[in-house]
């Protein structure tokens, strides 16, 4: 893959990349195909309400047509959807389940707020031919204690039987703390106690404290026979290991028996986890908890930056979502899909954790959601595995992005691990000749990569995150050199990037030579006017100034304070001319930027120009970034 900078000719910023040798092929855990499902897309009619795709669960073939179906949460509306799927993954039919709909009747004495927060398929608990589905309502119950419903669904998706589990109900005798958010996560974990009935783990992350997980040993009617609480003060080896604000139990996944004792074990997301010693950054972690037949924890492993050697990014909340996968890498142990809320380049991210049969980690693979998910940093993310419903040998997963009210269905590759091939992509964010350059770098390496080391020469400690940003203080006509070393299961590779800097020149536009610095742009905010100043002081015979804003410009990379590499025939969002009879700053204040301005993004830019007695003079370009 060529870097963004090497795909286009650049006159003023020459990029030379030296990459390690190797063959770039699809790799285990990479997304090889995907499509989006949203209201009006891929057969789904909706409407998709608040919180749509915040949770998901594969239902198996509910309606008997030979194709697996899917449950999708919509907790902002206290509901969830059952989507009946075609073999190609598109939606053939849909049913919304909420209070008073599809046979479900909430208890009027108990709040149902957040119904649909979490979903887990339990199979047919009582052997009556109906599917049991666990549904969490994390803000329900009395004073936000939370609730879980066990719903029995017929082949149409309608509810034919229901059990409420909450404080003092459904066999749960233990008192739940106020605002514990019991039901924020649910997971079918297999038969823990050996009675032949599938059991259930329920997360109660309680954001204001440490969090907890309840292992519920179920009866065949869906009620609770016994329970164990895993917390900072109870539940075996977990006790005493949690940090304040960990949010232990925000996500859960059953992972089968990982320590050879024939008792299924559990993966727990801890997105509030901070590195040791505790810092203010919620980097996140995943804990693999080994269970006894009673539900007590008898062993534990933690996957975080320190233990894995992989930097998942500060404040990324790694572990906010979990799903158990099949054995992608063929080592005899099922693997794990882990979501994080945000990444340094914007969108949420998901990772495959390749687990050995004993639950230790072999390596990771980043799914690179930035390639197809809209850049909404901090969006809630949900994940679920569908297995291999189309029989092509590739695992299908679904990735819910709440900010888009959509989910993506993706296939994950299972090719053997090859040595990584290092590549670098980057965007210049700010550039002042002879002064500084700020750039966002992105790892674009091929094949499996678990670790990164960026050597920017001007830093004592290298960056170890996959997509760092760096500021260089530079003299004019100097050269920046940086090195990326990537390490994966298959080996190591190195890429070098040299950026020789010289004054920007052009023979393409009026006034051949360096484009003068005249355009200043205020921060762009959705819903507010765009404010820009064009300084005409260098043009004594000024008659007017021009402001051009390109929504989707063609032609390459924009270098603020220098050359504009753009086809002037590109579509323009704005094209404003303002008279100015004397040299000096001319201010432009545009109409409010529409809240639905979807085309403002990584390639948008503003261009200044001045009209004088000699004609049109193009000034510098400024990358346009819009926020809230």
């Amino acid at each position: 893959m060529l870097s963004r900078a090497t795909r286009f000719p650049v006159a003023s910023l020459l990029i030379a990349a030296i990459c390690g040798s190797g063959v770039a092929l699809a790799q285990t855990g990479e997304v090889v195909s995907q499509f989006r499902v949203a209201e009006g897309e891929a057969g789904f009619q909706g409407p998709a309400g608040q919180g749509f795709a915040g949770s998901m669960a594969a239902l198996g073939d509910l309606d008997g047509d030979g194709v697996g179906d899917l449950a999708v949460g919509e907790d902002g509306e206290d509901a969830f959807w059952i989507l009946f799927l075609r073999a190609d993954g598109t939606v053939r039919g849909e049913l919304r389940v909420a209070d008073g709909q599809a046979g479900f009747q909430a208890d009027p004495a108990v709040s149902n707020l957040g119904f649909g927060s979490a979903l887990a398929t339990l199979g047919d608990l009582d052997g009556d031919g109906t599917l049991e589905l666990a549904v969490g309502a994390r803000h329900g119950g009395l004073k936000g204690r939370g609730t879980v419903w066990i719903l029995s669904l017929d082949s149409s998706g309608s509810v034919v039987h229901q059990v409420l589990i909450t404080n003092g109900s459904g066999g749960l005798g233990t008192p739940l703390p106020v605002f514990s958010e019991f039901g924020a996560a649910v997971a079918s974990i297999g038969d823990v106690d050996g009675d032949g009935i599938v059991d259930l783990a329920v997360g109660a992350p309680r954001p204001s404290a440490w969090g907890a997980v309840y292992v519920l040993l179920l009866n065949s009617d869906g009620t609770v026979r016994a329970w164990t609480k895993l917390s900072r003060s109870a539940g075996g080896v977990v006790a005493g290991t949690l940090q304040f604000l960990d949010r232990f139990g925000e996500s859960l996944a059953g992972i089968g028996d990982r320590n050879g004792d024939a008792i299924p074990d559990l993966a727990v997301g801890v997105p509030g986890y901070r590195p040791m010693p505790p810092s203010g950054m919620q980097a996140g972690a995943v804990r693999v908890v080994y269970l006894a037949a009673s539900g007590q924890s008898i062993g534990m492993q933690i996957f975080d930056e320190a233990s894995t050697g992989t930097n998942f990014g500060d404040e990324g909340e790694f572990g906010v979502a979990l799903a158990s996968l099949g054995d992608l890498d063929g080592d005899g142990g099922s693997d794990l899909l882990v979501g994080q809320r945000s990444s340094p380049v914007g969108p949420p991210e998901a990772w495959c954790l390749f687990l050995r049969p004993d639950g230790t980690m072999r390596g990771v693979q980043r799914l690179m959601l930035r390639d197809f998910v809209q850049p909404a940093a901090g969006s809630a993310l949900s994940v679920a595995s569908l297995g291999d419903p189309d029989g092509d040998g590739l695992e299908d997963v679904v990735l819910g992005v709440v900010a888009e009210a959509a989910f993506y269905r993706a296939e994950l590759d299972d090719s053997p691990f090859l040595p990584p091939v290092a590549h670098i992509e980057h965007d210049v964010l700010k550039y002042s000749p002879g002064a500084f350059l700020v750039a966002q770098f992105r790892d674009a390496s091929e094949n499996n990569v678990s670790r990164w080391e960026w050597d920017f020469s001007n830093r004592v400690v290298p960056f170890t995150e996959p997509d760092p940003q760096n500021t260089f203080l530079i003299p004019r006509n100097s050269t920046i050199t940086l090195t990326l070393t990537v390490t994966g299961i298959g080996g190591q590779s190195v890429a070098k990037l040299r950026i020789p800097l010289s004054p920007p020149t052009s023979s393409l536009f009026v006034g051949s030579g360096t484009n003068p610095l005249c355009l200043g742009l205020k921060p762009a905010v959705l819903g507010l006017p765009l404010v820009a100043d064009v300084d005409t002081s260098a043009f004594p015979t000024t008659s007017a100034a021009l402001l051009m804003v390109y929504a989707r410009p063609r032609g390459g990379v924009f270098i603020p304070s220098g050359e504009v590499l753009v086809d002037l025939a590109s579509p323009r969002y704005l094209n404003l001319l303002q008279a100015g009879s004397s040299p000096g700053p001319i201010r432009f204040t545009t109409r409010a930027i529409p809240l639905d301005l979807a085309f403002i993004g990584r390639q948008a830019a503003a261009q200044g120009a001045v009209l004088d007695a000699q004609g049109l003079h193009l000034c510098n370009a400024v990358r346009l970034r819009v926020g809230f």
Side-chain angles (χ1 to χ4, degrees):
M1 180 186 296
L2 292 175
S3 72
R4 182 180 307 280
T6 59
R7 285 197 290 263
F8 302 104
V10 180
S12 62
L13 191 60
L14 177 63
I15 306 300
I18 305 171
C19 297
S21 61
V23 179
L25 298 172
Q27 191 77 127
T28 301
E30 285 187 350
V31 174
V32 295
S33 66
Q34 55 80 24
F35 64 88
R36 185 174 185 262
V37 180
E39 182 179 332
E41 299 179 41
F44 177 57
Q45 300 302 312
Q50 185 177 358
F52 180 78
S55 62
M56 293 181 291
L59 297 175
D61 182 11
L62 186 61
D63 58 355
D65 67 347
V67 180
D69 303 310
L70 182 67
V72 181
E74 190 181 54
D75 64 336
E77 308 292 338
D78 304 329
F80 70 91
W81 292 83
I82 295 176
L83 304 185
F84 299 98
L85 304 180
R86 300 185 179 93
D88 63 1
T90 58
V91 179
R92 177 178 58 80
E94 58 199 57
L95 177 70
R96 188 173 187 267
V97 181
D99 186 18
Q101 294 180 250
F104 174 63
Q105 297 292 332
D107 187 334
V110 178
S111 168
N112 202 39
L113 188 63
F115 179 72
S117 302
L119 301 163
T121 304
L122 300 175
D124 183 2
L125 291 179
D126 54 3
D128 67 350
T130 61
L131 175 76
E132 270 69 58
L133 180 70
V135 183
R138 69 185 299 165
H139 302 298
L142 179 63
K143 293 186 177 180
R145 287 179 167 87
T147 66
V148 171
W149 292 87
I150 307 298
L151 306 182
S152 299
L153 307 179
D154 65 16
S155 60
S156 72
S158 296
V159 178
V160 296
H161 183 259
Q162 60 190 50
V163 172
L164 173 64
I165 301 174
T166 189
N167 202 52
S169 178
L172 185 65
T174 183
L176 296 172
V178 173
F179 303 119
S180 61
E181 299 187 15
F182 176 82
V186 291
S188 173
I189 54 175
D191 182 10
V192 173
D193 56 351
D195 66 349
I197 301 171
V198 168
D199 298 310
L200 179 68
V202 180
R206 195 180 182 192
S208 62
W210 291 261
V213 172
Y214 293 79
V215 178
L216 306 184
L217 307 180
L218 300 180
N219 296 309
S220 61
D221 63 358
T223 58
V224 178
R225 181 180 61 80
W227 67 88
T228 295
K229 181 181 180 181
L230 310 181
S231 69
R232 72 183 181 102
S233 58
V237 300
V238 167
T241 67
L242 302 184
Q243 296 178 10
F244 184 57
L245 301 180
D246 256 357
R247 287 161 55 203
F248 178 75
E250 181 69 38
S251 61
L252 298 167
I255 56 174
D257 174 23
R258 307 316 289 256
N259 62 347
D261 63 358
I263 298 172
D265 301 310
L266 178 66
V268 183
V270 194
Y273 176 83
R274 290 149 293 153
M276 296 293 288
S279 70
M281 300 179 294
Q282 299 183 76
V286 173
R287 293 180 182 237
V288 168
V289 179
Y290 303 116
L291 299 177
S294 64
Q296 291 272 331
S297 60
I298 58 174
M300 184 178 59
Q301 293 194 54
I302 186 166
F303 299 138
D304 63 355
E305 179 179 340
S307 62
T308 65
T310 299
N311 188 333
F312 300 106
D314 297 334
E315 301 292 350
E317 297 185 45
F318 177 76
V320 75
L322 285 175
S324 185
L325 299 172
D327 182 11
L328 290 181
D329 57 351
D331 68 348
S334 61
D335 301 313
L336 197 61
L337 184 62
V338 184
Q340 68 181 102
R341 189 176 295 275
S342 62
S343 62
V345 292
E349 186 57 275
W351 304 73
C352 287
L353 268 58
F354 302 113
L355 302 184
R356 298 184 179 92
D358 63 359
T360 59
M361 197 183 84
R362 181 185 181 197
V364 306
Q365 178 68 47
R366 195 164 53 140
L367 267 63
M368 305 290 281
L369 300 194
R370 72 185 189 208
D371 290 342
F372 52 89
V373 171
Q374 296 177 9
S379 173
L381 180 75
S382 65
V383 296
S385 172
L386 301 178
D388 181 17
D390 52 5
D392 62 356
L394 301 180
E395 179 131 6
D396 288 37
V397 299
V398 281
L399 307 155
V401 184
V402 173
E404 295 186 37
F407 64 88
Y408 292 82
R409 179 162 176 163
E411 285 192 317
L412 303 183
D413 196 84
D414 62 352
S415 302
F417 292 112
L418 295 174
V421 181
H423 285 291
I424 301 171
E425 287 187 350
H426 80 287
D427 276 326
V428 176
L429 305 181
K430 298 178 182 179
Y431 172 46
S432 179
F436 67 89
L437 180 144
V438 181
Q440 173 71 62
F441 296 94
R442 294 180 299 278
D443 168 49
S445 303
E446 303 290 346
N447 303 333
N448 174 260
V449 176
S450 299
R451 301 181 185 180
W452 301 264
E453 184 173 299
W454 296 82
D455 183 356
F456 290 122
S457 299
N458 65 338
R459 289 181 55 87
V460 176
V461 179
F463 279 113
T464 59
E465 62 189 80
D467 303 306
Q469 186 179 121
N470 194 49
T471 299
F472 302 89
L473 300 178
I474 50 175
R476 188 181 294 271
N477 296 322
S478 65
T479 299
I480 296 171
T481 302
L482 60 102
T483 303
L484 169 63
T485 302
V486 294
T487 304
I489 294 174
Q492 193 173 85
S493 179
V494 177
K496 290 184 180 293
L497 186 68
R498 292 196 299 267
I499 309 177
L501 295 156
S502 58
T505 60
S506 174
S507 59
L508 303 177
F509 308 117
V510 176
S512 176
T514 300
N515 289 338
L517 176 63
C518 72
L519 175 63
L521 195 65
K522 303 293 183 183
V525 179
L526 292 177
L528 298 180
L530 181 66
V531 179
D533 291 307
V534 175
D535 189 351
T536 67
S537 299
F539 304 92
T541 59
T542 295
S543 61
L546 182 66
L547 174 67
M548 297 168 283
V549 178
Y550 296 93
R552 293 190 180 275
R554 298 189 294 265
V557 179
F558 300 94
I559 305 166
S561 306
E563 188 70 52
V564 55
L565 301 176
V566 62
D567 180 351
L568 296 182
S570 297
R572 295 179 188 174
Y573 169 59
L574 290 174
N575 193 21
L576 302 179
L577 183 68
Q578 192 159 311
S581 57
S582 60
I586 297 178
R587 169 151 294 190
F588 290 82
T589 302
T590 76
R591 62 181 182 271
I593 303 173
L595 292 177
D596 61 351
L597 193 58
F599 55 68
I600 291 294
R602 196 156 55 194
Q603 289 292 329
Q607 170 74 50
V610 177
L611 282 170
D612 68 1
Q614 283 72 47
L616 175 67
H617 302 269
L618 290 177
C619 298
N620 59 300
V622 176
R623 180 179 300 281
L624 185 58
R625 291 183 177 273
V626 175
F628 288 93

